[in-house]
Amino acid sequence: MVNKQLLAESLVVFCIVLSIHTIVWDRFSWCALALAVQAFYVQHKWDRLLQSGGAVFQYRSSANSGLLPASMIIPLMGIVMRERCKVSGNVYFERYGVVVSATGMALAYFLSIIALGITKPVPKNTCIVSGAAGSAILYTMKNSLAVSEVIEVLEVLLIFVYLSMIVLYLLPRCFTPGEALIVLGGLSFALNQLIKRSLNSIGGKGDPADYLLLVTLVALVLLGIIFSALFFFMDSTTWTSSLFFYMMTAVLGLGIFVPWLQYLIKRHPLFWLVEFLVQSSTRLYLLGYWVMLVMAACAVVLYQNSKRTPDLKKLQASTMTRKYFHFLAVATYIPGIIYDTQLLFVASVACVAVFVLLEFVRYFRIRPLGQTLRNLLTLFLDERDSGPLILTHIYLLLGMSLPVWLFPRLCASSLSSPSTLLPYCGVLAVGVGDTIASVFGSIMGEIKWPGTKKTFEGTMMSIFAQIIAVALILIFDANVNMNSGYGWLLGSIALVSLLEAFTTQIDNLLLPLYLHILLMI
């Protein structure tokens, strides 16, 4: 039986890929198209494995494999990064864009090979397609990468393999194969970059905020793995284990990660942070405003939980209630992008760290907050939180933050027209588009897209709301310049909105990345 939703999602992704390559066409374009075709074939094998329970690890069962949309993100990101840095004359990052694209193709192809290797009987036609795609990728790498760059690709691939084995074993049913590719692929890049910069650190060169991001991401992953291993042998719910958790977090943070960051930025991180925060009164006002929004979010959680009664223990928050947090995220990020993007960068990194640490406390039931957090957050679960971790709120924060983190500051001189909207990709795709589509689709939607619960009316309202949001951004943000490219902007918003309608992956993660790719080009 043909899965109409999967075919529609694949068609949208192919449209995005072809749109990119109408502007940028080089030797990597052939590889990207070959990778997309083989991913389309292989994702059906992944879906069959997930349905039969034949996959090596336990993946999220309420969605398809998501291999095609996930496989194209990192390669396309590298291609548009290379083109943007080529225009600005930044040779180093132009070459790094080539490495990113090649590495993304290697990671996606590796995931495809796993599916083919464990599928019985062996799918001969799909193997032929995958073999042709693999040959094209290897040939292009051979003629495009220097030896040091090939080594870097292999380093990231090796980190990805080991990280996948550890994380997917410890966290069953938390990811689809596609989501694992995006999340663990990004973490593999971060770990590899941190190791490289630590070995080549000279005089504190580089932006301290970038080092803060790398150290924070790696620290959170390592803490999660360490505590998972320790609490495998210990009862994490006792006061002794809780005290051990807090002491270990402090020791590892103050004894390893803070000195590591100090080595990279050549200054004590605390002194740098205090000086960074008090540089202007605007930063203090923004911090005060964000504290008020945090208090509002906490009030929403407490108020919704106060309405629960013993007879309604399984009561779930409505779509409108969950979208309150999207509106709060928009209210948080827009002033930060307009007035101080660098402060927003640092604050979003700190917020991700707090969210993940609180999730550790909830997951391991660390006293005194662990059980309380479990009770409070249960109300906001949806079908995507099928594993032991609750990740939707972290994905929301990541979706809003990734465009800010990935903004090509060193190549910003070449940005014009729609590209100046890059920091707003999370706000547009998730904060505005996804929110409006969900709210209006549930209230007034009648015409459903084939094979989905999403509605035509919700998608149209999503596109219309994002256009209005862009108009408001043009009024209030002088850094956004739109002298041309209106058609490309409208097409990009429409494609991403259609992807939201058909995908079963985590849209908070997928949509901002695709909009970022489309606008960067």
Side-chain angles (χ1 to χ4, degrees):
M1 181 179 178
V2 177
N3 188 328
K4 294 180 180 179
Q5 182 178 7
L6 182 61
L7 290 178
E9 178 192 53
S10 302
L11 179 61
V12 174
V13 174
F14 273 110
C15 288
I16 293 174
V17 173
L18 292 174
S19 299
I20 295 295
H21 293 302
T22 57
I23 298 178
V24 180
W25 187 265
D26 54 22
R27 64 180 66 181
F28 276 95
S29 300
W30 290 108
C31 293
L33 290 175
L35 182 69
V37 172
Q38 76 89 30
F40 173 74
Y41 277 92
V42 174
Q43 73 176 352
H44 293 286
K45 311 307 175 188
W46 262 117
D47 291 341
R48 191 177 303 169
L49 288 170
L50 296 179
Q51 292 168 5
S52 64
V56 177
F57 299 104
Q58 297 182 56
Y59 293 96
R60 188 161 65 87
S61 59
S62 60
N64 60 45
S65 65
L67 185 63
L68 175 58
S71 294
M72 301 314 301
I73 285 180
I74 300 178
L76 290 179
M77 188 71 73
I79 289 172
V80 297
M81 180 193 300
R82 172 181 175 272
E83 186 66 18
R84 183 56 60 192
C85 294
K86 180 180 179 181
V87 172
S88 66
N90 192 318
V91 178
Y92 174 81
F93 279 98
E94 179 186 347
R95 292 305 305 171
Y96 187 65
V98 174
V99 173
V100 170
S101 184
T103 307
M105 293 179 187
L107 297 179
Y109 191 70
F110 171 78
L111 203 60
S112 298
I113 294 299
I114 290 179
L116 294 178
I118 59 180
T119 299
K120 302 299 180 185
V122 176
K124 295 181 180 179
N125 293 336
T126 306
C127 286
I128 293 173
V129 174
S130 294
S135 299
I137 293 171
L138 288 174
Y139 178 79
T140 303
M141 287 186 183
K142 176 180 178 295
N143 292 278
S144 303
L145 301 179
V147 175
S148 60
E149 293 170 338
V150 173
I151 293 173
E152 185 169 358
V153 171
L154 295 177
E155 288 171 350
V156 177
L157 181 59
L158 185 64
I159 295 171
F160 175 78
V161 172
Y162 282 105
L163 202 57
S164 298
M165 290 191 294
I166 295 171
V167 173
L168 294 178
Y169 174 77
L170 293 175
L171 301 175
R173 305 181 307 282
C174 285
F175 307 97
T176 65
E179 292 161 4
L181 175 60
I182 298 172
V183 174
L184 301 181
L187 291 174
S188 300
F189 270 105
L191 180 55
N192 185 64
Q193 279 296 302
L194 184 58
I195 293 172
K196 281 185 60 180
R197 297 190 185 193
S198 299
L199 295 176
N200 300 320
S201 179
I202 302 175
K205 292 183 178 179
D207 191 336
D210 292 332
Y211 291 121
L212 175 66
L213 173 62
L214 293 176
V215 172
T216 300
L217 292 178
V218 173
L220 292 173
V221 173
L222 293 179
L223 284 173
I225 294 173
I226 290 171
F227 287 128
S228 296
L230 290 175
F231 291 136
F232 184 78
F233 302 99
M234 300 170 58
D235 182 6
S236 61
T237 61
T238 65
W239 277 106
T240 303
S241 296
S242 300
L243 181 60
F244 178 77
F245 173 87
Y246 295 122
M247 290 181 61
M248 280 293 293
T249 302
V251 168
L252 292 173
L254 298 176
I256 296 179
F257 301 123
V258 169
W260 197 349
L261 181 58
Q262 181 176 353
Y263 168 74
L264 291 168
I265 67 176
K266 306 303 180 186
R267 295 185 59 189
H268 195 284
L270 182 60
F271 297 152
W272 166 78
L273 183 61
V274 171
E275 182 180 332
F276 176 83
L277 295 178
V278 300
Q279 275 185 0
S280 66
S281 58
T282 302
R283 292 187 171 176
L284 298 178
Y285 293 142
L286 278 173
L287 289 174
Y289 170 68
W290 289 338
V291 169
M292 292 173 57
L293 291 179
V294 169
M295 294 173 64
C298 294
V300 170
V301 173
L302 294 174
Y303 172 72
Q304 291 297 325
N305 275 273
S306 68
K307 297 194 298 183
R308 299 172 70 182
T309 64
D311 299 330
L312 296 173
K313 287 185 177 180
K314 294 185 178 180
L315 177 68
Q316 295 296 306
S318 65
T319 299
M320 183 68 75
T321 301
R322 283 199 289 266
K323 296 308 176 183
Y324 284 157
F325 300 103
H326 287 238
F327 286 119
L328 288 173
V330 171
T332 300
Y333 276 76
I334 286 183
I337 296 172
I338 293 176
Y339 294 108
D340 199 327
T341 308
Q342 197 68 0
L343 176 64
L344 179 63
F345 187 111
V346 173
S348 60
V349 173
C351 198
V352 167
V354 171
F355 272 35
V356 175
L357 288 174
L358 286 176
E359 182 57 22
F360 288 163
V361 171
R362 187 205 67 83
Y363 174 61
F364 294 118
R365 301 190 185 189
I366 303 298
R367 296 188 178 190
L369 297 176
Q371 191 58 46
T372 302
L373 288 174
R374 277 179 174 260
N375 296 333
L376 290 175
L377 297 180
T378 300
L379 180 67
F380 300 95
L381 293 177
D382 61 18
E383 69 277 1
R384 295 174 296 183
D385 291 312
S386 57
L389 293 185
I390 300 177
L391 295 173
T392 47
H393 60 298
I394 298 176
Y395 282 138
L396 172 61
L397 184 59
L398 284 176
M400 302 290 285
S401 302
L402 282 172
V404 177
W405 297 349
L406 296 173
F407 182 77
R409 295 190 299 275
L410 298 178
C411 304
S413 60
S414 64
L415 298 179
S416 61
S417 296
S419 298
T420 55
L421 286 166
L422 282 177
Y424 290 98
C425 287
V427 172
L428 292 173
V430 176
V432 176
D434 180 43
T435 303
I436 296 299
S438 181
V439 172
F440 278 86
S442 60
I443 293 176
M444 55 182 288
E446 294 183 0
I447 306 173
K448 294 188 182 297
W449 290 108
T452 77
K453 297 179 181 179
K454 307 293 180 65
T455 63
F456 174 81
E457 293 87 349
T459 302
M460 292 301 104
M461 287 301 299
S462 169
I463 297 172
F464 183 62
Q466 290 178 75
I467 294 172
I468 293 177
V470 170
L472 293 174
I473 290 169
L474 287 171
I475 294 173
F476 291 102
D477 191 346
N479 295 319
V480 177
N481 176 21
M482 280 289 294
N483 294 325
S484 60
Y486 292 99
W488 182 264
L489 175 64
L490 178 60
S492 301
I493 290 174
L495 284 173
V496 172
S497 298
L498 286 172
L499 184 62
E500 187 275 334
F502 291 110
T503 188
T504 58
Q505 307 303 296
I506 299 294
D507 47 13
N508 291 347
L509 193 62
L510 207 63
L511 304 183
L513 292 174
Y514 268 111
L515 187 59
H516 190 273
I517 290 168
L518 286 165
L519 296 188
M520 188 188 292
I521 197 63

